[in-house]
Amino acid sequence: MIIGKIKKDEKTVRLNLEIFCSNCGKKVPGGIKTSEKYSKTKNFREELREFKKNYLCGVCRDKKRVKNL
């Protein structure tokens, strides 16, 4: 998953974070990729905090979509 914008020749950072579904609490595999400059900013930390707070796993996301149809 990519957070922020990564320019063509910019160095990237891969963060292996523990991400949990905000609905069922299941641990979600994977990591976050972002630019090296952006990873050191306050905006990145704020965006990452909001992302973790609102993240849904695939099962919960699909249930929500079907429910809204």
Side-chain angles (χ1 to χ4, degrees):
M1 203 160 297
I2 297 174
I3 292 184
K5 293 185 178 181
I6 301 174
K7 295 179 182 175
K8 185 178 180 182
D9 297 330
E10 200 168 14
K11 288 186 178 183
T12 61
V13 176
R14 183 172 193 83
L15 306 170
N16 291 319
L17 305 172
E18 289 197 4
I19 301 171
F20 296 92
C21 176
S22 60
N23 188 39
C24 68
K26 187 184 331 180
K27 185 176 177 184
V28 181
I32 303 276
K33 190 174 181 181
T34 189
S35 70
E36 188 173 29
K37 286 182 183 178
Y38 187 63
S39 68
K40 298 174 184 176
T41 65
K42 182 180 178 182
N43 287 339
F44 172 73
R45 289 187 299 271
E46 186 176 309
E47 189 174 349
L48 183 60
R49 183 176 45 82
E50 284 297 313
F51 174 79
K52 285 180 151 185
K53 188 169 81 174
N54 298 317
Y55 187 78
L56 294 175
C57 68
V59 174
C60 292
R61 186 176 56 238
D62 290 345
K63 284 180 183 177
K64 185 176 178 181
R65 281 188 192 151
V66 170
K67 181 180 172 184
N68 290 335
L69 288 177

